[in-house]
mmCIF file of all heavy atoms in Angstrom:
data_model
loop_
_atom_site.group_PDB
_atom_site.id
_atom_site.type_symbol
_atom_site.label_atom_id
_atom_site.label_comp_id
_atom_site.label_asym_id
_atom_site.label_seq_id
_atom_site.Cartn_x
_atom_site.Cartn_y
_atom_site.Cartn_z
ATOM 1 N N LEU A 1 14.158 -0.595 5.721
ATOM 2 C CA LEU A 1 13.186 -0.143 6.713
ATOM 3 C C LEU A 1 13.839 0.730 7.781
ATOM 4 O O LEU A 1 13.195 1.626 8.324
ATOM 5 C CB LEU A 1 12.489 -1.342 7.354
ATOM 6 C CG LEU A 1 11.543 -2.122 6.435
ATOM 7 C CD1 LEU A 1 10.971 -3.320 7.167
ATOM 8 C CD2 LEU A 1 10.446 -1.256 5.892
ATOM 9 N N ARG A 2 15.109 0.489 8.066
ATOM 10 C CA ARG A 2 15.819 1.296 9.054
ATOM 11 C C ARG A 2 15.941 2.749 8.566
ATOM 12 O O ARG A 2 15.866 3.691 9.347
ATOM 13 C CB ARG A 2 17.190 0.708 9.310
ATOM 14 C CG ARG A 2 17.928 1.392 10.434
ATOM 15 C CD ARG A 2 19.305 0.801 10.675
ATOM 16 N NE ARG A 2 19.355 -0.630 10.413
ATOM 17 C CZ ARG A 2 20.450 -1.276 10.069
ATOM 18 N NH1 ARG A 2 21.583 -0.633 9.954
ATOM 19 N NH2 ARG A 2 20.427 -2.568 9.853
ATOM 20 N N ASN A 3 16.113 2.929 7.259
ATOM 21 C CA ASN A 3 16.253 4.269 6.698
ATOM 22 C C ASN A 3 14.932 5.029 6.653
ATOM 23 O O ASN A 3 14.934 6.255 6.623
ATOM 24 C CB ASN A 3 16.833 4.196 5.283
ATOM 25 C CG ASN A 3 18.244 3.676 5.277
ATOM 26 O OD1 ASN A 3 18.935 3.743 6.284
ATOM 27 N ND2 ASN A 3 18.663 3.134 4.159
ATOM 28 N N LEU A 4 13.819 4.324 6.629
ATOM 29 C CA LEU A 4 12.514 4.978 6.546
ATOM 30 C C LEU A 4 12.107 5.629 7.861
ATOM 31 O O LEU A 4 11.485 6.680 7.859
ATOM 32 C CB LEU A 4 11.442 3.974 6.137
ATOM 33 C CG LEU A 4 11.416 3.561 4.691
ATOM 34 C CD1 LEU A 4 10.357 2.503 4.489
ATOM 35 C CD2 LEU A 4 11.182 4.730 3.783
ATOM 36 N N GLY A 5 12.398 4.976 8.938
ATOM 37 C CA GLY A 5 11.951 5.469 10.233
ATOM 38 C C GLY A 5 10.522 5.034 10.502
ATOM 39 O O GLY A 5 9.853 4.459 9.643
ATOM 40 N N PRO A 6 10.024 5.325 11.694
ATOM 41 C CA PRO A 6 8.685 4.859 12.055
ATOM 42 C C PRO A 6 7.581 5.484 11.204
ATOM 43 O O PRO A 6 6.618 4.821 10.829
ATOM 44 C CB PRO A 6 8.530 5.269 13.518
ATOM 45 C CG PRO A 6 9.766 5.984 13.910
ATOM 46 C CD PRO A 6 10.717 5.967 12.775
ATOM 47 N N LEU A 7 7.713 6.754 10.871
ATOM 48 C CA LEU A 7 6.674 7.417 10.074
ATOM 49 C C LEU A 7 6.625 6.845 8.657
ATOM 50 O O LEU A 7 5.549 6.649 8.095
ATOM 51 C CB LEU A 7 6.938 8.923 10.038
ATOM 52 C CG LEU A 7 5.807 9.782 9.513
ATOM 53 C CD1 LEU A 7 4.557 9.597 10.354
ATOM 54 C CD2 LEU A 7 6.229 11.237 9.515
ATOM 55 N N GLY A 8 7.780 6.540 8.096
ATOM 56 C CA GLY A 8 7.825 5.935 6.767
ATOM 57 C C GLY A 8 7.227 4.543 6.742
ATOM 58 O O GLY A 8 6.553 4.162 5.788
ATOM 59 N N ILE A 9 7.464 3.783 7.804
ATOM 60 C CA ILE A 9 6.898 2.434 7.888
ATOM 61 C C ILE A 9 5.381 2.498 7.992
ATOM 62 O O ILE A 9 4.665 1.735 7.331
ATOM 63 C CB ILE A 9 7.516 1.661 9.067
ATOM 64 C CG1 ILE A 9 8.998 1.411 8.794
ATOM 65 C CG2 ILE A 9 6.787 0.343 9.307
ATOM 66 C CD1 ILE A 9 9.764 0.852 9.961
ATOM 67 N N VAL A 10 4.875 3.429 8.787
ATOM 68 C CA VAL A 10 3.419 3.603 8.898
ATOM 69 C C VAL A 10 2.852 4.010 7.543
ATOM 70 O O VAL A 10 1.798 3.525 7.122
ATOM 71 C CB VAL A 10 3.072 4.639 9.995
ATOM 72 C CG1 VAL A 10 1.612 5.005 9.946
ATOM 73 C CG2 VAL A 10 3.443 4.101 11.361
ATOM 74 N N GLY A 11 3.546 4.882 6.836
ATOM 75 C CA GLY A 11 3.099 5.293 5.505
ATOM 76 C C GLY A 11 3.038 4.119 4.546
ATOM 77 O O GLY A 11 2.087 3.986 3.773
ATOM 78 N N LEU A 12 4.059 3.266 4.584
ATOM 79 C CA LEU A 12 4.052 2.073 3.726
ATOM 80 C C LEU A 12 2.888 1.147 4.066
ATOM 81 O O LEU A 12 2.251 0.584 3.172
ATOM 82 C CB LEU A 12 5.359 1.313 3.893
ATOM 83 C CG LEU A 12 6.496 1.693 2.956
ATOM 84 C CD1 LEU A 12 7.755 0.916 3.304
ATOM 85 C CD2 LEU A 12 6.121 1.473 1.531
ATOM 86 N N LEU A 13 2.618 0.978 5.355
ATOM 87 C CA LEU A 13 1.490 0.130 5.755
ATOM 88 C C LEU A 13 0.158 0.708 5.287
ATOM 89 O O LEU A 13 -0.726 -0.041 4.850
ATOM 90 C CB LEU A 13 1.489 -0.052 7.273
ATOM 91 C CG LEU A 13 2.623 -0.897 7.836
ATOM 92 C CD1 LEU A 13 2.581 -0.893 9.375
ATOM 93 C CD2 LEU A 13 2.545 -2.315 7.307
ATOM 94 N N ILE A 14 0.013 2.020 5.351
ATOM 95 C CA ILE A 14 -1.228 2.651 4.891
ATOM 96 C C ILE A 14 -1.395 2.471 3.383
ATOM 97 O O ILE A 14 -2.491 2.174 2.900
ATOM 98 C CB ILE A 14 -1.258 4.136 5.297
ATOM 99 C CG1 ILE A 14 -1.419 4.245 6.805
ATOM 100 C CG2 ILE A 14 -2.370 4.881 4.571
ATOM 101 C CD1 ILE A 14 -1.283 5.648 7.339
ATOM 102 N N VAL A 15 -0.299 2.650 2.636
ATOM 103 C CA VAL A 15 -0.364 2.443 1.184
ATOM 104 C C VAL A 15 -0.721 0.990 0.872
ATOM 105 O O VAL A 15 -1.568 0.717 0.014
ATOM 106 C CB VAL A 15 0.972 2.842 0.523
ATOM 107 C CG1 VAL A 15 1.038 2.360 -0.910
ATOM 108 C CG2 VAL A 15 1.165 4.346 0.589
ATOM 109 N N ALA A 16 -0.100 0.042 1.567
ATOM 110 C CA ALA A 16 -0.396 -1.371 1.335
ATOM 111 C C ALA A 16 -1.850 -1.699 1.680
ATOM 112 O O ALA A 16 -2.514 -2.451 0.952
ATOM 113 C CB ALA A 16 0.547 -2.251 2.149
ATOM 114 N N ALA A 17 -2.356 -1.119 2.766
ATOM 115 C CA ALA A 17 -3.760 -1.349 3.138
ATOM 116 C C ALA A 17 -4.693 -0.763 2.087
ATOM 117 O O ALA A 17 -5.717 -1.375 1.735
ATOM 118 C CB ALA A 17 -4.039 -0.744 4.509
ATOM 119 N N GLY A 18 -4.350 0.411 1.570
ATOM 120 C CA GLY A 18 -5.178 1.029 0.530
ATOM 121 C C GLY A 18 -5.210 0.198 -0.741
ATOM 122 O O GLY A 18 -6.277 -0.017 -1.331
ATOM 123 N N ILE A 19 -4.049 -0.285 -1.167
ATOM 124 C CA ILE A 19 -3.993 -1.135 -2.363
ATOM 125 C C ILE A 19 -4.762 -2.427 -2.113
ATOM 126 O O ILE A 19 -5.465 -2.925 -2.984
ATOM 127 C CB ILE A 19 -2.531 -1.432 -2.756
ATOM 128 C CG1 ILE A 19 -1.813 -0.154 -3.184
ATOM 129 C CG2 ILE A 19 -2.450 -2.475 -3.866
ATOM 130 C CD1 ILE A 19 -2.262 0.436 -4.481
ATOM 131 N N GLY A 20 -4.654 -2.980 -0.907
ATOM 132 C CA GLY A 20 -5.400 -4.192 -0.577
ATOM 133 C C GLY A 20 -6.898 -3.984 -0.618
ATOM 134 O O GLY A 20 -7.642 -4.836 -1.115
ATOM 135 N N LEU A 21 -7.353 -2.851 -0.119
ATOM 136 C CA LEU A 21 -8.785 -2.543 -0.148
ATOM 137 C C LEU A 21 -9.277 -2.372 -1.580
ATOM 138 O O LEU A 21 -10.349 -2.864 -1.943
ATOM 139 C CB LEU A 21 -9.048 -1.266 0.660
ATOM 140 C CG LEU A 21 -10.497 -0.849 0.823
ATOM 141 C CD1 LEU A 21 -11.266 -1.915 1.587
ATOM 142 C CD2 LEU A 21 -10.574 0.473 1.555
ATOM 143 N N ILE A 22 -8.472 -1.704 -2.406
ATOM 144 C CA ILE A 22 -8.850 -1.548 -3.810
ATOM 145 C C ILE A 22 -8.844 -2.905 -4.509
ATOM 146 O O ILE A 22 -9.727 -3.203 -5.319
ATOM 147 C CB ILE A 22 -7.903 -0.550 -4.511
ATOM 148 C CG1 ILE A 22 -8.091 0.845 -3.931
ATOM 149 C CG2 ILE A 22 -8.139 -0.528 -6.013
ATOM 150 C CD1 ILE A 22 -7.048 1.844 -4.363
ATOM 151 N N ALA A 23 -7.855 -3.761 -4.199
ATOM 152 C CA ALA A 23 -7.771 -5.085 -4.817
ATOM 153 C C ALA A 23 -8.965 -5.953 -4.437
ATOM 154 O O ALA A 23 -9.421 -6.771 -5.238
ATOM 155 C CB ALA A 23 -6.477 -5.775 -4.404
ATOM 156 N N TRP A 24 -9.465 -5.753 -3.246
ATOM 157 C CA TRP A 24 -10.639 -6.520 -2.820
ATOM 158 C C TRP A 24 -11.852 -6.133 -3.661
ATOM 159 O O TRP A 24 -12.652 -6.980 -4.031
ATOM 160 C CB TRP A 24 -10.888 -6.256 -1.343
ATOM 161 C CG TRP A 24 -12.066 -6.996 -0.790
ATOM 162 C CD1 TRP A 24 -12.181 -8.341 -0.623
ATOM 163 C CD2 TRP A 24 -13.285 -6.419 -0.351
ATOM 164 N NE1 TRP A 24 -13.394 -8.640 -0.087
ATOM 165 C CE2 TRP A 24 -14.100 -7.469 0.086
ATOM 166 C CE3 TRP A 24 -13.764 -5.124 -0.279
ATOM 167 C CZ2 TRP A 24 -15.378 -7.250 0.577
ATOM 168 C CZ3 TRP A 24 -15.029 -4.906 0.222
ATOM 169 C CH2 TRP A 24 -15.824 -5.966 0.638
ATOM 170 N N ALA A 25 -11.962 -4.844 -4.013
ATOM 171 C CA ALA A 25 -13.093 -4.376 -4.807
ATOM 172 C C ALA A 25 -12.883 -4.644 -6.298
ATOM 173 O O ALA A 25 -13.807 -5.094 -6.980
ATOM 174 C CB ALA A 25 -13.309 -2.887 -4.577
ATOM 175 N N ASP A 26 -11.677 -4.354 -6.816
ATOM 176 C CA ASP A 26 -11.417 -4.526 -8.243
ATOM 177 C C ASP A 26 -9.920 -4.761 -8.459
ATOM 178 O O ASP A 26 -9.136 -3.805 -8.399
ATOM 179 C CB ASP A 26 -11.880 -3.287 -9.004
ATOM 180 C CG ASP A 26 -11.886 -3.488 -10.509
ATOM 181 O OD1 ASP A 26 -11.422 -4.540 -10.976
ATOM 182 O OD2 ASP A 26 -12.360 -2.587 -11.224
ATOM 183 N N PRO A 27 -9.525 -5.994 -8.714
ATOM 184 C CA PRO A 27 -8.096 -6.313 -8.833
ATOM 185 C C PRO A 27 -7.378 -5.585 -9.968
ATOM 186 O O PRO A 27 -6.222 -5.211 -9.834
ATOM 187 C CB PRO A 27 -8.071 -7.823 -9.074
ATOM 188 C CG PRO A 27 -9.382 -8.322 -8.588
ATOM 189 C CD PRO A 27 -10.355 -7.198 -8.770
ATOM 190 N N VAL A 28 -8.054 -5.359 -11.094
ATOM 191 C CA VAL A 28 -7.404 -4.694 -12.223
ATOM 192 C C VAL A 28 -7.053 -3.254 -11.875
ATOM 193 O O VAL A 28 -5.963 -2.771 -12.179
ATOM 194 C CB VAL A 28 -8.299 -4.757 -13.480
ATOM 195 C CG1 VAL A 28 -7.692 -3.973 -14.624
ATOM 196 C CG2 VAL A 28 -8.538 -6.200 -13.884
ATOM 197 N N VAL A 29 -7.958 -2.570 -11.204
ATOM 198 C CA VAL A 29 -7.693 -1.194 -10.788
ATOM 199 C C VAL A 29 -6.567 -1.172 -9.765
ATOM 200 O O VAL A 29 -5.716 -0.269 -9.779
ATOM 201 C CB VAL A 29 -8.978 -0.544 -10.219
ATOM 202 C CG1 VAL A 29 -8.688 0.826 -9.659
ATOM 203 C CG2 VAL A 29 -10.050 -0.461 -11.286
ATOM 204 N N ALA A 30 -6.508 -2.158 -8.882
ATOM 205 C CA ALA A 30 -5.448 -2.227 -7.877
ATOM 206 C C ALA A 30 -4.079 -2.380 -8.525
ATOM 207 O O ALA A 30 -3.107 -1.757 -8.088
ATOM 208 C CB ALA A 30 -5.715 -3.376 -6.907
ATOM 209 N N VAL A 31 -3.985 -3.184 -9.563
ATOM 210 C CA VAL A 31 -2.710 -3.350 -10.266
ATOM 211 C C VAL A 31 -2.301 -2.032 -10.899
ATOM 212 O O VAL A 31 -1.139 -1.625 -10.826
ATOM 213 C CB VAL A 31 -2.800 -4.476 -11.321
ATOM 214 C CG1 VAL A 31 -1.584 -4.493 -12.223
ATOM 215 C CG2 VAL A 31 -2.978 -5.816 -10.643
ATOM 216 N N GLY A 32 -3.252 -1.331 -11.486
ATOM 217 C CA GLY A 32 -2.962 -0.032 -12.072
ATOM 218 C C GLY A 32 -2.489 0.969 -11.034
ATOM 219 O O GLY A 32 -1.520 1.703 -11.255
ATOM 220 N N MET A 33 -3.149 1.002 -9.898
ATOM 221 C CA MET A 33 -2.752 1.910 -8.822
ATOM 222 C C MET A 33 -1.359 1.569 -8.311
ATOM 223 O O MET A 33 -0.553 2.458 -8.034
ATOM 224 C CB MET A 33 -3.753 1.851 -7.668
ATOM 225 C CG MET A 33 -5.108 2.426 -7.975
ATOM 226 S SD MET A 33 -5.084 4.194 -8.111
ATOM 227 C CE MET A 33 -4.689 4.652 -6.454
ATOM 228 N N ALA A 34 -1.057 0.284 -8.170
ATOM 229 C CA ALA A 34 0.265 -0.137 -7.700
ATOM 230 C C ALA A 34 1.352 0.285 -8.689
ATOM 231 O O ALA A 34 2.424 0.740 -8.286
ATOM 232 C CB ALA A 34 0.289 -1.649 -7.480
ATOM 233 N N LEU A 35 1.077 0.162 -9.985
ATOM 234 C CA LEU A 35 2.046 0.582 -10.993
ATOM 235 C C LEU A 35 2.260 2.094 -10.960
ATOM 236 O O LEU A 35 3.387 2.569 -11.100
ATOM 237 C CB LEU A 35 1.587 0.140 -12.380
ATOM 238 C CG LEU A 35 1.681 -1.353 -12.666
ATOM 239 C CD1 LEU A 35 1.058 -1.679 -14.019
ATOM 240 C CD2 LEU A 35 3.117 -1.823 -12.616
#
């Protein structure tokens, strides 16, 4: 996380939130998106 910097950490949080939102709607699609 130290190497990512603040912008990279925010980007990771946005990606995680997006995958979480997709998983809430359809878990199979979320697994595919994560892969």
Side-chain angles (χ1 to χ4, degrees):
L1 291 177
R2 187 180 327 154
N3 294 338
L4 284 176
L7 193 59
I9 293 171
V10 170
L12 270 176
L13 291 175
I14 290 172
V15 168
I19 295 290
L21 184 63
I22 294 169
W24 180 68
D26 191 354
V28 175
V29 174
V31 170
M33 291 289 294
L35 288 174

